[in-house]
Amino acid sequence: MISQEHAIREKWNLRHADAEGPGQVAAVLVNNLYLLPSEGRALDLACGRGANALLLARSGLAVAAWDISDVAINALQATAEAQHLAIDVQVRDVLARPPEPESFDVILVSHFLERNLADSLVDALRPGGLLFYQTFAHSCLTGEGPKNPAFRLGRNELLALFSSLQLVYYRENEALGNIALGLRDLALFIGQKPATGKQAADVL
Ligand SMILES: C[S@@+](CC[C@H](N)C(=O)[O-])C[C@H]1O[C@@H](n2cnc3c(N)ncnc32)[C@H](O)[C@@H]1O
């Protein structure tokens, strides 16, 4: 019998095999690069062919990039090598093996929605660490993204899922104003894990 993990891998392998290049960098990252720490460990979770992992590595962070698709991970490995960037790539089912507690200073999730992982992502941040999250919202003005509403965020859902983080940035425009402009159908969130008592005192 084919396992669910195998079926998901095969589905995504086909999509990645048909695609070219590392994909699109997430607006939540590229528009807020100045918020990144100057050093530390970053994770691109469900990285696909790794546009965000490459950008995080170029920003000076030690980057891990995980995806269930070996086709995507092999493509990212080849791009990273061609660009002389060291990225710790791994074929990994993040539902079966989420990141370990307090293991990353930055976690980036782009266009991947697994609500059950929210607590693990918060746990995996080190104190003071940042979560960058961007995925499709419930509004569907552009026709892009999943058709199944279960795979799209509800209104303000990232704020609820990550309410234990300090809010740094949030954007969800829906149909407001001139819909020919702006970032439509997406929710963008950045949150920070509160620093420990000692770290907070050190800053003062
Ligand atoms: C829509 S793509 C997004 C890729 C990338 N983050 C981006 O924004 O271009 C979703 C990715 O999630 C990966 N994925 C799906 N289920 C996964 C799982 N259980 N563990 C790890 N990766 C998974 C797929 O292989 C695919 O690369």
Side-chain angles (χ1 to χ4, degrees), residues 8 12 16 46-48 67-69 92-95 110-112:
I8 294 171
W12 282 104
H16 288 300
C47 59
D67 199 284
I68 201 167
S69 160
R92 177 159 167 158
D93 178 351
V94 299
L95 298 182
S110 159
H111 299 129
F112 178 72

Side-chain angles (χ1 to χ4, degrees), residues 5 8-9 12-13 15-16 22-26 44-52 66-69 72 92-96 108-112 114 117 134 136:
E5 180 178 337
I8 294 171
R9 173 169 298 123
W12 282 104
N13 272 349
R15 293 200 195 177
H16 288 300
Q24 264 199 333
V25 172
D44 184 355
L45 182 116
C47 59
R49 300 181 312 286
N52 295 302
W66 302 343
D67 199 284
I68 201 167
S69 160
R92 177 159 167 158
D93 178 351
V94 299
L95 298 182
L108 177 288
V109 187
S110 159
H111 299 129
F112 178 72
E114 274 298 341
L117 269 183
Q134 167 177 321
F136 289 103

Side-chain angles (χ1 to χ4, degrees), residues 113-119 133 149-154 157 161:
L113 181 58
E114 274 298 341
R115 295 168 172 89
N116 293 337
L117 269 183
D119 288 348
Y133 210 121
F151 297 142
R152 305 181 75 109
L153 292 160
E157 189 177 352
L161 283 174

